[in-house]
């Protein structure tokens, strides 16, 4: 999953982010791009614009290339920004259905999750908005799945509870973040909490048959997890085995050589 993290020395303007998303697939081999609205004034038309450009270039939208918006958390930012970000995701699917016959957005990420009630609230709003598109516009898309992003030690230790809040049969994704957890609680505590979360999610899957597909969010420095660090990627991939998706952040795409990037991708 390619992200729009501002952690590189290369500045990518909002106007360049559509091209950046295409490049994430064509050059870096990322099959998923996180369009970021958290604390960031990303245009609400951007997911739709990426869809249109990807279809024009023949990318497998909704089959091998996906967009996953990260919403503003309504407990931390204005509620209308959450609503508009959800609308952006649904609009992208409206166009991807028309142009490619598939859904470009299958998941949306809710960051900085600290309580189950907010997760359930945003999920209900998403489902109701999706129902309007189906009933009024004839878009046959099911609602995108809400993915809770757990970014502190306490939330990581309660990962199972958040998974249960969004599980609705089939596969369920949960996003486990290292950086913010490390800032709040330190490197050791955040590392142990993340490993514990992966272990508990595996237990849940084994005992109850819930298919859990964790996303691992890490940067390049060891404090941020090291999974994007060419020198550490193989070690960290083994240490946190059990994840399905890893973020490929800006620093490893722009501040490392392509050969170094390939070491990270192959880890």
């Amino acid at each position: 999953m390619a992200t729009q993290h501002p952690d590189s020395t290369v500045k990518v303007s909002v106007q360049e982010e559509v091209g950046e998303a295409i490049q994430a697939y064509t050059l870096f081999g990322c099959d998923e791009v996180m369009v970021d609205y958290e604390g960031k004034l990303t245009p609400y038309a951007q997911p739709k614009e990426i869809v249109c450009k990807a279809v024009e270039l023949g990318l497998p939208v909704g089959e091998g290339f996906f967009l996953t918006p990260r919403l503003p958390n309504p407990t931390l930012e204005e509620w209308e920004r959450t609503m508009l970000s959800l609308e952006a995701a649904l609009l992208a699917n409206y166009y991807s259905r028309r142009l490619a016959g598939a859904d470009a957005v299958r998941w949306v990420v809710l960051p900085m999750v600290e309580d189950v009630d907010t997760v359930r609230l945003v999920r209900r709003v998403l489902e109701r908005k999706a129902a309007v598109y189906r009933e009024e516009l004839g878009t046959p898309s099911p609602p995108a799945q809400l993915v809770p992003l757990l970014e502190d030690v306490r939330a990581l230790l309660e990962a199972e509870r958040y998974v249960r809040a969004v599980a609705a049969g089939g596969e369920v994704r949960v996003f486990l973040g290292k950086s913010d957890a490390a800032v709040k609680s330190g490197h050791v505590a955040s590392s142990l909490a993340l490993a514990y979360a992966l272990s508990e999610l595996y237990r849940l899957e084994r005992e109850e048959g819930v298919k859990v597909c964790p996303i691992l969010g890490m940067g390049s420095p060891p404090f941020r997890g090291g999974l994007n660090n060419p020198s550490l990627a193989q070690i960290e991939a083994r240490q946190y085995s059990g994840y399905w998706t890893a973020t490929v952040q800006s620093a490893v795409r722009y501040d490392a050589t392509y050969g170094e990037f390939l070491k990270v991708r192959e880890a």
Side-chain angles (χ1 to χ4, degrees):
M1 175 193 284
T3 71
Q4 296 176 341
H5 279 86
D7 62 347
S8 70
T9 58
V10 175
K11 180 181 178 181
V12 179
S13 69
V14 168
Q15 292 76 18
E16 296 171 311
E17 285 178 343
V18 173
E20 180 188 40
I22 301 300
Q23 186 186 62
Y25 179 84
T26 58
L27 178 61
F28 295 105
C30 298
D31 58 5
E32 187 174 8
V33 173
M34 187 172 76
V35 178
D36 206 350
Y37 289 100
E38 183 193 15
K40 181 172 175 286
L41 296 178
T42 302
Y44 295 110
Q46 188 179 105
K48 179 202 77 172
E49 292 172 358
I50 295 172
V51 165
C52 293
K53 189 65 175 178
V55 171
E56 178 187 330
L57 295 174
L59 273 61
V61 175
E63 299 293 339
F65 178 64
F66 303 95
L67 303 180
T68 302
R70 177 160 67 173
L71 313 173
N73 187 313
T75 65
L76 301 172
E77 300 188 51
E78 296 85 355
W79 174 248
E80 61 264 29
R81 295 202 64 239
T82 306
M83 297 287 279
L84 289 168
S85 301
L86 288 172
E87 204 70 44
L90 291 165
L91 189 62
N93 273 352
Y94 174 74
Y95 275 87
S96 68
R97 275 283 173 177
R98 286 180 56 190
L99 300 175
D103 294 326
V105 179
R106 294 191 183 179
W107 307 275
V108 294
V109 175
L110 181 65
M112 304 298 287
V113 168
E114 295 182 349
D115 65 277
V116 170
D117 289 342
T118 302
V119 174
R120 290 174 175 154
L121 170 62
V122 175
R123 181 185 176 188
R124 287 196 304 271
V125 173
L126 173 59
E127 290 173 348
R128 290 175 182 177
K129 279 180 170 288
V132 171
Y133 272 74
R134 286 196 305 274
E135 295 164 9
E136 303 298 336
L137 300 177
T139 305
S141 305
Q145 182 188 120
L146 188 67
V147 180
L149 171 48
L150 313 181
E151 301 182 78
D152 63 40
V153 166
R154 179 179 177 182
L156 288 168
L157 294 177
E158 298 178 344
E160 178 183 338
R161 187 160 68 98
Y162 291 103
V163 166
R164 291 184 184 278
V166 296
E171 295 182 355
V172 58
R173 299 178 91 187
V174 59
F175 204 144
L176 309 177
K178 175 70 167 69
S179 298
D180 282 280
V183 169
K184 295 174 184 176
S185 303
H187 179 50
V188 174
S190 58
S191 298
L192 291 173
L194 207 155
Y196 176 82
L198 287 167
S199 176
E200 285 297 289
L201 294 174
Y202 175 71
R203 179 191 58 77
L204 176 66
E205 183 176 74
R206 187 180 66 251
E207 293 180 0
E208 300 191 26
V210 179
K211 184 66 174 178
V212 184
C213 303
I215 304 168
L216 201 56
M218 291 186 171
S220 296
F223 188 76
R224 296 188 60 211
L227 194 60
N228 279 190
N229 189 316
S231 301
L232 298 174
Q234 288 190 348
I235 297 171
E236 302 296 349
R238 288 195 299 269
Q239 177 171 331
Y240 299 106
S241 61
Y243 65 90
W244 281 66
T245 303
T247 57
V248 179
Q249 300 183 2
S250 301
V252 72
R253 301 201 308 271
Y254 302 133
D255 291 345
T257 67
Y258 193 69
E260 290 173 326
F261 163 76
L262 290 177
K263 290 181 182 178
V264 171
R265 191 175 75 179
E266 292 164 4

